Amino acid sequence: MPKNIAQNIHQPVLLVETLQLLKPQADEFFVDATLGLGGHTEAILAKSKETQVIGIDQDLEAIGLAKERLNSFGERFKVFHSNFSDIKQVLAEAKIEKVDGVLADLGVSSLQFDSRTRGFSFRFDAPLDMRMNRESNLETAADLLETLSEFEIAKIIYEYGEERLSRRIARRIVEKRDSGEPIKTTKQLVETIEKAVGRGKKDKIHPATRTFQALRIAVNGELEILERFVRDSVEILKKDGRLAVITFHSLEDRIVKQTMQKLSGKCFCPPKFPQCVCGAKKEVEILTRKPVVPSELETEENPRSRSAKLRACLKLN
Ligand SMILES: C[S@@+](CC[C@H](N)C(=O)[O-])C[C@H]1O[C@@H](n2cnc3c(N)ncnc32)[C@H](O)[C@@H]1O
Ligand SMILES: [Zn+2]
């Protein structure tokens, strides 16, 4: 069977492992909160003739390609152009109360990362946009670099990029802006970073990698919505429903891990508190004591999967 465009663009990460945890059965209903190019959804729908999936994505371009790919599943697949922070509203709109499983495969897709025009990657010279949802009125990365203070820019690069040279980079960015040359393109940003930190021959990763990650997270508000999303997803699960989340960096993984732990009844109060005030209550059972990571074969075939971590939990009541 000839592959369609979406299949060629993005390889679904940890696909077998995700299906083992989500365990889609006939008649079950799933939400794919990060539809992307529809790779995971296609595999869920292919599991049985009656499984249904609602796909959510904030990127219209991805939705267009996923729709084409999943066309043959007819009414069993529906799609919503939305942010997954609105998962409860999406479900209400679809007139569905509870579901058997929710999947989120976070971050950007290869469609976005390999785009020559959207500014996600320093491999291509493009306007510094980085919005996953181009129909939104979110500020672009260039807007942030033009309007935030030096302190705020450094904080973003340090916290979201874990870049220890964040202050040097922020200073250079603001110096350029003050001299009447605000940074508008990926190439200008790369050059500014290289001037700020130099380029050691021994560097394993490009010196701009962490700053680009940080700006993307800030532009799309990726971390702020994550704890709420995990909680909302658990809320909409039926008893014995499953939630699976794939993350791509330690900041995301920490939030997912801790939120699942809290929902599994672990108390996060300081040890000296005489009694629990954090409201720990056992609502889920954690299915992945350690995060599931890709096999060597997968990382060889798909280097993008290298940093992936999969965690899952089961709703108890
Ligand atoms: C890694 S890709 C998903 C790939 C998909 N699992 C597949 O196999 O083709 C992540 C997708 O999630 C979308 N996305 C990221 N954050 C989102 C959010 N907060 N709300 C809705 N979609 C989001 C991105 O636009 C992107 O298309
Ligand atoms: Zn507590």
Side-chain angles (χ1 to χ4, degrees):
M1 198 167 60
K3 283 188 165 188
N4 74 8
I5 302 173
Q7 276 167 312
N8 282 326
I9 297 176
H10 184 96
Q11 286 279 105
V13 169
L14 287 165
L15 183 58
V16 173
E17 296 83 349
T18 304
L19 291 179
Q20 274 166 358
L21 288 160
L22 280 181
K23 288 200 176 55
Q25 311 288 318
D27 278 334
E28 285 196 330
F29 211 111
F30 289 82
V31 178
D32 182 346
T34 53
L35 176 69
L37 282 297
H40 288 93
T41 284
E42 182 177 54
I44 293 172
L45 288 166
K47 271 275 165 185
S48 122
K49 287 212 169 66
E50 283 111 55
T51 322
Q52 296 188 56
V53 177
I54 282 190
I56 301 175
D57 206 293
Q58 56 179 340
D59 185 334
L60 268 186
E61 200 182 340
I63 287 184
L65 290 168
K67 265 187 175 166
E68 231 172 78
R69 177 183 199 166
L70 303 167
N71 206 358
S72 61
F73 294 102
E75 289 294 302
R76 292 166 55 204
F77 168 68
K78 292 202 176 61
V79 62
F80 287 79
H81 178 226
S82 190
N83 193 296
F84 63 57
S85 59
D86 292 329
I87 190 167
K88 291 209 291 191
Q89 286 93 304
V90 168
L91 234 62
E93 219 176 292
K95 302 201 169 27
I96 292 157
E97 214 182 311
K98 299 258 166 157
V99 297
D100 299 282
V102 177
L103 166 66
D105 170 20
L106 300 173
V108 284
S109 68
S110 305
L111 175 74
Q112 293 160 334
F113 192 62
D114 295 340
S115 159
R116 292 178 172 271
T117 56
R118 297 181 63 176
F120 287 106
S121 170
F122 48 77
R123 290 171 296 152
F124 313 109
D125 189 19
L128 206 51
D129 186 333
M130 296 199 188
R131 286 168 306 156
M132 291 193 208
N133 184 351
R134 281 188 292 182
E135 283 65 40
S136 71
N137 46 21
L138 287 178
E139 288 181 298
T140 65
D143 292 336
L144 294 186
L145 296 186
E146 195 159 355
T147 53
L148 296 180
S149 69
E150 181 178 329
F151 175 79
E152 287 166 322
I153 294 172
K155 190 165 182 288
I156 285 174
I157 299 175
Y158 181 72
E159 285 184 3
Y160 297 162
E162 298 179 293
E163 167 65 72
R164 57 191 178 84
L165 301 172
S166 57
R167 282 195 286 186
R168 256 201 247 172
I169 296 172
R171 192 168 321 130
R172 272 278 177 172
I173 290 171
V174 171
E175 271 168 16
K176 276 198 76 99
R177 175 171 96 187
D178 290 348
S179 67
E181 293 175 85
I183 292 171
K184 300 267 187 211
T185 68
T186 50
K187 188 160 172 239
Q188 289 163 350
L189 180 58
V190 170
E191 284 167 3
T192 308
I193 296 169
E194 282 177 346
K195 284 217 182 86
V197 304
R199 168 120 215 224
K201 287 219 169 59
K202 284 202 222 112
D203 290 345
K204 277 210 201 98
I205 61 168
H206 190 284
T209 310
R210 286 182 286 265
T211 301
F212 270 70
Q213 171 185 303
L215 285 173
R216 193 202 84 211
I217 292 174
V219 165
N220 296 289
E222 291 175 38
L223 297 181
E224 286 96 325
I225 57 178
L226 208 45
E227 171 160 359
R228 187 74 260 155
F229 166 72
V230 171
R231 289 180 177 279
D232 286 351
S233 299
V234 166
E235 200 179 312
I236 61 170
L237 286 179
K238 293 179 191 165
K239 178 178 179 326
D240 295 328
R242 289 81 65 198
L243 166 67
V245 185
I246 303 171
T247 62
F248 288 88
H249 53 80
S250 55
L251 303 166
E252 280 177 346
D253 182 55
R254 193 179 316 143
I255 297 174
V256 173
K257 174 182 165 185
Q258 290 186 350
T259 310
M260 285 189 182
Q261 281 177 339
K262 283 182 203 164
L263 290 165
S264 77
K266 182 169 174 178
C267 165
F268 276 79
C269 296
K272 53 178 183 286
F273 276 29
Q275 65 186 53
C276 171
V277 293
C278 72
K281 189 173 140 226
K282 194 166 172 66
E283 292 177 52
V284 304
E285 182 189 320
I286 290 176
L287 299 172
T288 45
R289 213 169 48 80
K290 283 201 184 136
V292 178
V293 296
S295 64
E296 242 172 74
L297 183 67
E298 179 168 2
T299 50
E300 252 168 53
E301 283 177 354
N302 180 13
R304 210 191 78 86
S305 71
R306 220 176 13 218
S307 49
K309 287 198 167 113
L310 165 63
R311 295 185 186 269
C313 62
L314 176 95
K315 175 91 174 265
L316 290 174
N317 288 299

Short mmCIF file of all heavy atoms in Angstrom, two decimals, residues 145 148-158 163-178 183 189 192-193 196-197 211:
data_model
loop_
_atom_site.label_atom_id
_atom_site.label_comp_id
_atom_site.label_asym_id
_atom_site.label_seq_id
_atom_site.Cartn_x
_atom_site.Cartn_y
_atom_site.Cartn_z
N LEU A 145 11.26 38.46 22.31
CA LEU A 145 12.61 39.02 22.39
C LEU A 145 12.59 40.54 22.22
O LEU A 145 13.51 41.23 22.65
CB LEU A 145 13.52 38.39 21.33
CG LEU A 145 13.77 36.89 21.50
CD1 LEU A 145 14.79 36.40 20.48
CD2 LEU A 145 14.26 36.55 22.92
N LEU A 148 10.24 41.66 26.12
CA LEU A 148 10.56 41.29 27.51
C LEU A 148 11.84 41.98 27.98
O LEU A 148 12.69 42.38 27.17
CB LEU A 148 10.73 39.77 27.63
CG LEU A 148 9.48 38.92 27.33
CD1 LEU A 148 9.80 37.43 27.49
CD2 LEU A 148 8.33 39.31 28.25
N SER A 149 11.97 42.08 29.30
CA SER A 149 13.20 42.67 29.85
C SER A 149 14.35 41.66 29.74
O SER A 149 14.11 40.46 29.56
CB SER A 149 12.98 43.04 31.31
OG SER A 149 12.85 41.84 32.07
N GLU A 150 15.56 42.16 29.90
CA GLU A 150 16.73 41.28 29.85
C GLU A 150 16.60 40.18 30.91
O GLU A 150 16.87 39.01 30.66
CB GLU A 150 18.00 42.11 30.09
CG GLU A 150 19.27 41.28 30.03
CD GLU A 150 20.52 42.13 30.23
OE1 GLU A 150 20.53 43.32 29.85
OE2 GLU A 150 21.50 41.58 30.77
N PHE A 151 16.12 40.56 32.09
CA PHE A 151 15.95 39.60 33.18
C PHE A 151 14.95 38.50 32.80
O PHE A 151 15.19 37.31 33.00
CB PHE A 151 15.48 40.33 34.45
CG PHE A 151 15.18 39.41 35.58
CD1 PHE A 151 16.22 38.87 36.36
CD2 PHE A 151 13.87 39.06 35.89
CE1 PHE A 151 15.94 38.00 37.40
CE2 PHE A 151 13.59 38.19 36.94
CZ PHE A 151 14.63 37.67 37.70
N GLU A 152 13.83 38.94 32.21
CA GLU A 152 12.80 37.95 31.83
C GLU A 152 13.29 37.00 30.73
O GLU A 152 13.01 35.79 30.76
CB GLU A 152 11.53 38.67 31.35
CG GLU A 152 10.75 39.32 32.48
CD GLU A 152 9.68 40.30 31.97
OE1 GLU A 152 9.93 41.02 30.98
OE2 GLU A 152 8.60 40.34 32.58
N ILE A 153 14.05 37.55 29.78
CA ILE A 153 14.58 36.69 28.70
C ILE A 153 15.56 35.68 29.30
O ILE A 153 15.51 34.48 29.01
CB ILE A 153 15.26 37.55 27.60
CG1 ILE A 153 14.22 38.42 26.90
CG2 ILE A 153 15.98 36.66 26.60
CD1 ILE A 153 14.79 39.45 25.94
N ALA A 154 16.43 36.15 30.19
CA ALA A 154 17.40 35.24 30.81
C ALA A 154 16.69 34.15 31.60
O ALA A 154 17.09 32.98 31.59
CB ALA A 154 18.34 36.04 31.71
N LYS A 155 15.63 34.53 32.29
CA LYS A 155 14.88 33.57 33.12
C LYS A 155 14.27 32.46 32.25
O LYS A 155 14.35 31.27 32.59
CB LYS A 155 13.78 34.34 33.87
CG LYS A 155 13.07 33.55 34.93
CD LYS A 155 12.29 34.53 35.81
CE LYS A 155 11.57 33.88 36.95
NZ LYS A 155 10.48 33.10 36.83
N ILE A 156 13.70 32.87 31.13
CA ILE A 156 13.11 31.87 30.22
C ILE A 156 14.20 30.92 29.71
O ILE A 156 14.04 29.69 29.72
CB ILE A 156 12.43 32.58 29.01
CG1 ILE A 156 11.11 33.20 29.46
CG2 ILE A 156 12.21 31.62 27.84
CD1 ILE A 156 10.41 34.04 28.42
N ILE A 157 15.33 31.49 29.28
CA ILE A 157 16.38 30.65 28.70
C ILE A 157 16.97 29.72 29.77
O ILE A 157 17.29 28.56 29.51
CB ILE A 157 17.48 31.53 28.04
CG1 ILE A 157 16.87 32.37 26.91
CG2 ILE A 157 18.61 30.67 27.50
CD1 ILE A 157 17.83 33.37 26.28
N TYR A 158 17.05 30.22 31.00
CA TYR A 158 17.60 29.40 32.09
C TYR A 158 16.61 28.31 32.51
O TYR A 158 16.95 27.13 32.60
CB TYR A 158 17.94 30.30 33.28
CG TYR A 158 18.54 29.54 34.44
CD1 TYR A 158 19.85 29.05 34.34
CD2 TYR A 158 17.81 29.29 35.59
CE1 TYR A 158 20.41 28.33 35.38
CE2 TYR A 158 18.36 28.56 36.63
CZ TYR A 158 19.66 28.09 36.52
OH TYR A 158 20.21 27.36 37.54
N GLU A 163 19.86 26.41 30.39
CA GLU A 163 21.08 26.95 29.78
C GLU A 163 21.83 27.76 30.84
O GLU A 163 21.32 28.77 31.31
CB GLU A 163 20.69 27.83 28.59
CG GLU A 163 21.78 28.69 28.02
CD GLU A 163 22.90 27.87 27.40
OE1 GLU A 163 22.68 27.29 26.33
OE2 GLU A 163 24.00 27.82 28.01
N ARG A 164 23.04 27.31 31.18
CA ARG A 164 23.72 28.03 32.26
C ARG A 164 24.28 29.38 31.79
O ARG A 164 24.58 30.25 32.61
CB ARG A 164 24.77 27.16 32.95
CG ARG A 164 25.77 26.63 32.14
CD ARG A 164 26.68 25.57 32.68
NE ARG A 164 27.53 25.22 31.55
CZ ARG A 164 28.61 25.88 31.22
NH1 ARG A 164 29.04 26.86 31.98
NH2 ARG A 164 29.29 25.57 30.14
N LEU A 165 24.41 29.57 30.49
CA LEU A 165 24.91 30.87 30.01
C LEU A 165 23.78 31.82 29.62
O LEU A 165 23.95 32.72 28.81
CB LEU A 165 25.85 30.63 28.82
CG LEU A 165 27.05 29.74 29.15
CD1 LEU A 165 27.83 29.38 27.90
CD2 LEU A 165 27.97 30.42 30.17
N SER A 166 22.61 31.59 30.24
CA SER A 166 21.42 32.35 29.86
C SER A 166 21.60 33.86 29.98
O SER A 166 21.13 34.62 29.13
CB SER A 166 20.25 31.93 30.75
OG SER A 166 20.57 32.12 32.10
N ARG A 167 22.32 34.28 31.02
CA ARG A 167 22.41 35.75 31.22
C ARG A 167 23.25 36.41 30.13
O ARG A 167 22.94 37.50 29.66
CB ARG A 167 22.97 36.05 32.61
CG ARG A 167 21.86 35.87 33.66
CD ARG A 167 22.22 36.47 34.94
NE ARG A 167 23.22 35.63 35.59
CZ ARG A 167 23.68 35.81 36.82
NH1 ARG A 167 23.25 36.82 37.53
NH2 ARG A 167 24.57 35.01 37.33
N ARG A 168 24.31 35.70 29.72
CA ARG A 168 25.15 36.24 28.65
C ARG A 168 24.36 36.35 27.35
O ARG A 168 24.47 37.33 26.61
CB ARG A 168 26.31 35.27 28.40
CG ARG A 168 27.60 35.76 28.97
CD ARG A 168 28.73 35.06 28.28
NE ARG A 168 29.41 34.20 29.23
CZ ARG A 168 30.34 33.33 28.90
NH1 ARG A 168 30.68 33.15 27.63
NH2 ARG A 168 30.93 32.61 29.81
N ILE A 169 23.56 35.31 27.09
CA ILE A 169 22.78 35.30 25.84
C ILE A 169 21.74 36.43 25.88
O ILE A 169 21.59 37.19 24.93
CB ILE A 169 22.11 33.92 25.63
CG1 ILE A 169 23.19 32.85 25.44
CG2 ILE A 169 21.15 33.95 24.45
CD1 ILE A 169 22.67 31.42 25.42
N ALA A 170 21.06 36.56 27.02
CA ALA A 170 20.03 37.60 27.14
C ALA A 170 20.65 38.99 26.97
O ALA A 170 20.07 39.88 26.34
CB ALA A 170 19.33 37.48 28.49
N ARG A 171 21.84 39.17 27.54
CA ARG A 171 22.48 40.49 27.44
C ARG A 171 22.72 40.85 25.98
O ARG A 171 22.43 41.95 25.52
CB ARG A 171 23.79 40.51 28.24
CG ARG A 171 24.34 41.92 28.41
CD ARG A 171 25.46 42.00 29.43
NE ARG A 171 25.22 41.15 30.57
CZ ARG A 171 26.11 40.28 31.05
NH1 ARG A 171 27.30 40.16 30.48
NH2 ARG A 171 25.83 39.54 32.10
N ARG A 172 23.28 39.90 25.20
CA ARG A 172 23.55 40.14 23.78
C ARG A 172 22.28 40.46 23.00
O ARG A 172 22.26 41.35 22.15
CB ARG A 172 24.15 38.88 23.14
CG ARG A 172 25.63 38.80 23.26
CD ARG A 172 26.25 39.66 22.16
NE ARG A 172 27.69 39.63 22.34
CZ ARG A 172 28.56 40.13 21.49
NH1 ARG A 172 28.14 40.73 20.40
NH2 ARG A 172 29.84 40.07 21.71
N ILE A 173 21.22 39.70 23.32
CA ILE A 173 19.94 39.92 22.61
C ILE A 173 19.46 41.35 22.86
O ILE A 173 19.06 42.07 21.94
CB ILE A 173 18.88 38.89 23.09
CG1 ILE A 173 19.25 37.49 22.60
CG2 ILE A 173 17.48 39.28 22.62
CD1 ILE A 173 18.41 36.36 23.18
N VAL A 174 19.54 41.78 24.11
CA VAL A 174 19.04 43.11 24.45
C VAL A 174 19.97 44.20 23.91
O VAL A 174 19.51 45.26 23.47
CB VAL A 174 18.81 43.21 25.97
CG1 VAL A 174 18.50 44.62 26.41
CG2 VAL A 174 17.66 42.28 26.36
N GLU A 175 21.27 43.93 23.89
CA GLU A 175 22.21 44.89 23.30
C GLU A 175 21.87 45.14 21.84
O GLU A 175 21.84 46.28 21.37
CB GLU A 175 23.65 44.35 23.37
CG GLU A 175 24.37 44.72 24.66
CD GLU A 175 25.67 43.94 24.82
OE1 GLU A 175 26.17 43.36 23.82
OE2 GLU A 175 26.17 43.91 25.95
N LYS A 176 21.59 44.06 21.12
CA LYS A 176 21.26 44.20 19.69
C LYS A 176 19.98 45.03 19.52
O LYS A 176 19.89 45.91 18.68
CB LYS A 176 21.06 42.82 19.05
CG LYS A 176 22.36 42.20 18.61
CD LYS A 176 22.15 41.08 17.63
CE LYS A 176 21.81 41.53 16.24
NZ LYS A 176 22.79 41.58 15.25
N ARG A 177 19.00 44.68 20.36
CA ARG A 177 17.72 45.41 20.31
C ARG A 177 17.94 46.90 20.58
O ARG A 177 17.44 47.76 19.87
CB ARG A 177 16.83 44.77 21.37
CG ARG A 177 15.52 45.39 21.59
CD ARG A 177 14.71 44.48 22.50
NE ARG A 177 14.79 44.88 23.91
CZ ARG A 177 14.27 44.18 24.91
NH1 ARG A 177 13.70 43.01 24.68
NH2 ARG A 177 14.35 44.61 26.15
N ASP A 178 18.74 47.20 21.61
CA ASP A 178 18.99 48.60 21.97
C ASP A 178 19.73 49.35 20.88
O ASP A 178 19.65 50.57 20.78
CB ASP A 178 19.77 48.68 23.29
CG ASP A 178 18.90 48.24 24.46
OD1 ASP A 178 17.67 48.12 24.25
OD2 ASP A 178 19.44 48.01 25.56
N ILE A 183 16.03 41.17 17.08
CA ILE A 183 16.17 39.89 16.40
C ILE A 183 14.84 39.44 15.83
O ILE A 183 13.86 39.31 16.55
CB ILE A 183 16.74 38.85 17.40
CG1 ILE A 183 18.16 39.26 17.72
CG2 ILE A 183 16.68 37.45 16.83
CD1 ILE A 183 18.77 38.49 18.83
N LEU A 189 19.24 35.08 15.46
CA LEU A 189 19.32 34.58 16.84
C LEU A 189 20.52 33.65 17.01
O LEU A 189 21.27 33.75 17.99
CB LEU A 189 18.02 33.87 17.24
CG LEU A 189 17.99 33.31 18.67
CD1 LEU A 189 18.23 34.41 19.71
CD2 LEU A 189 16.66 32.61 18.96
N THR A 192 23.65 35.65 17.20
CA THR A 192 23.75 36.36 18.48
C THR A 192 24.19 35.40 19.59
O THR A 192 25.04 35.74 20.42
CB THR A 192 22.38 36.99 18.83
OG1 THR A 192 21.94 37.75 17.72
CG2 THR A 192 22.47 37.88 20.05
N ILE A 193 23.62 34.20 19.58
CA ILE A 193 23.99 33.21 20.61
C ILE A 193 25.46 32.82 20.45
O ILE A 193 26.22 32.76 21.41
CB ILE A 193 23.08 31.97 20.53
CG1 ILE A 193 21.63 32.34 20.85
CG2 ILE A 193 23.57 30.87 21.47
CD1 ILE A 193 20.61 31.25 20.55
N ALA A 196 27.62 35.36 21.79
CA ALA A 196 27.56 35.46 23.26
C ALA A 196 28.34 34.34 23.95
O ALA A 196 28.97 34.56 24.97
CB ALA A 196 26.10 35.43 23.71
N VAL A 197 28.28 33.14 23.40
CA VAL A 197 28.86 32.00 24.14
C VAL A 197 30.01 31.31 23.42
O VAL A 197 30.63 30.41 23.98
CB VAL A 197 27.78 30.94 24.48
CG1 VAL A 197 26.64 31.55 25.25
CG2 VAL A 197 27.25 30.25 23.23
N THR A 211 18.45 27.39 23.85
CA THR A 211 17.71 28.66 23.76
C THR A 211 16.49 28.49 22.86
O THR A 211 15.40 29.00 23.17
CB THR A 211 18.63 29.78 23.23
OG1 THR A 211 19.73 29.91 24.12
CG2 THR A 211 17.90 31.10 23.11
#
